Amino acid sequence: MQVLEAAIAESANAWPLRRERAAELAERYPHAAEMLRLYQALIPVQERAYLEFPSPLVGEGQGGGYSKLIDFAVERVLPEIVDATVSSGPARLRDGVISVFCSADLPDLIRRWLHGQSLTPFETYLARASTSPLCEAMSPHPALPREPGREMEEDSSKTHCPNCGGLPQVSYFAVSGEPLVSGPRYLVCSRCARNWIFSRMTCAGCGE
Ligand SMILES: [Zn+2]
């Protein structure tokens, strides 16, 4: 993790690192080849979305940026996510994604994901794969809604992402590089991929 932290700090674009890491894992873990093949197909789509997304958006902070994000996700990213999934994803995921793409109100799907509302696994996959690179591109000033019930949470409590208000998806301890010094604990956001330092002795779920 020390190497990862240093590499992230040096580069504003994390996608080459993700590409390298996926190739490394695919070689090391053949049993995970199917999902890593899909991830490797998604990376160029998500990287292009991240780089082409115009941020800051016109109207960002007054509600304009939020609606533009949804339009961009539905019109420019989501169709390519469907194509990558159809070409490289497992059969069940492929069928589920096609069904959602053909029948769902796609702007409403993205909106519900951003608001943390209940979605089916196929809907969650499609919304997250299409929108998370845009959330990441909007860092550090996204106009994203807070999770329900967390609207008034201060950044100092940090059980939700200080950047976009999303839930953490993973926690890890960084390596300090010093024998007598413990590295900090980080949480990684499930929406914008930002990481932030969090207390080692505090529950990331309830904050106690
Ligand atoms: Zn976030």
Side-chain angles (χ1 to χ4, degrees):
M1 281 301 177
Q2 186 182 16
V3 175
L4 176 62
E5 293 300 325
I8 290 174
E10 287 177 7
S11 172
N13 183 357
W15 301 98
L17 290 172
R18 292 168 183 166
R19 188 178 290 108
E20 287 177 23
R21 181 63 172 162
E24 178 186 327
L25 291 176
E27 189 172 327
R28 192 187 305 171
Y29 302 115
H31 61 273
E34 185 177 49
M35 294 314 297
L36 287 167
R37 187 165 53 248
L38 170 61
Y39 182 58
Q40 287 173 305
L42 294 176
I43 286 176
V45 176
Q46 295 184 320
E47 180 179 21
R48 191 159 50 248
Y50 173 83
L51 294 174
E52 293 180 356
F53 186 54
S55 183
L57 292 165
V58 175
E60 192 171 329
Q62 294 89 46
Y66 177 49
S67 60
K68 289 266 185 355
L69 180 146
I70 293 173
D71 292 345
F72 195 96
V74 170
E75 295 166 12
R76 300 277 297 275
V77 191
L78 194 146
E80 291 193 41
I81 294 292
V82 172
D83 288 344
T85 306
V86 168
S87 67
S88 304
R92 186 146 182 256
L93 178 63
R94 188 177 63 220
D95 294 345
V97 162
I98 290 173
S99 173
V100 171
F101 183 65
C102 293
S103 61
D105 178 340
L106 298 175
D108 187 60
L109 171 66
I110 303 298
R111 191 173 298 109
R112 286 189 289 138
W113 181 76
L114 287 169
H115 281 273
Q117 295 178 5
S118 180
L119 300 172
T120 70
F122 297 131
E123 289 174 332
T124 300
Y125 165 82
L126 199 50
R128 181 175 177 177
S130 304
T131 313
S132 60
L134 311 184
C135 296
E136 193 171 349
M138 291 179 83
S139 175
H141 300 296
L144 302 178
R146 296 269 172 170
E147 293 283 338
R150 296 281 182 167
E151 292 84 355
M152 301 303 291
E153 185 177 53
E154 297 294 330
D155 286 351
S156 58
S157 57
K158 293 184 179 176
T159 55
H160 281 51
C161 173
N163 189 50
C164 74
L167 287 165
Q169 63 176 334
V170 70
S171 168
Y172 66 90
F173 295 117
V175 178
S176 72
E178 300 288 336
L180 300 178
V181 178
S182 297
R185 177 191 185 188
Y186 285 90
L187 302 182
V188 182
C189 180
S190 60
R191 295 205 301 198
C192 73
R194 173 171 170 170
N195 59 2
W196 68 98
I197 293 176
F198 190 78
S199 167
R200 280 176 169 253
M201 300 301 290
T202 302
C203 173
C206 70
E208 294 296 323

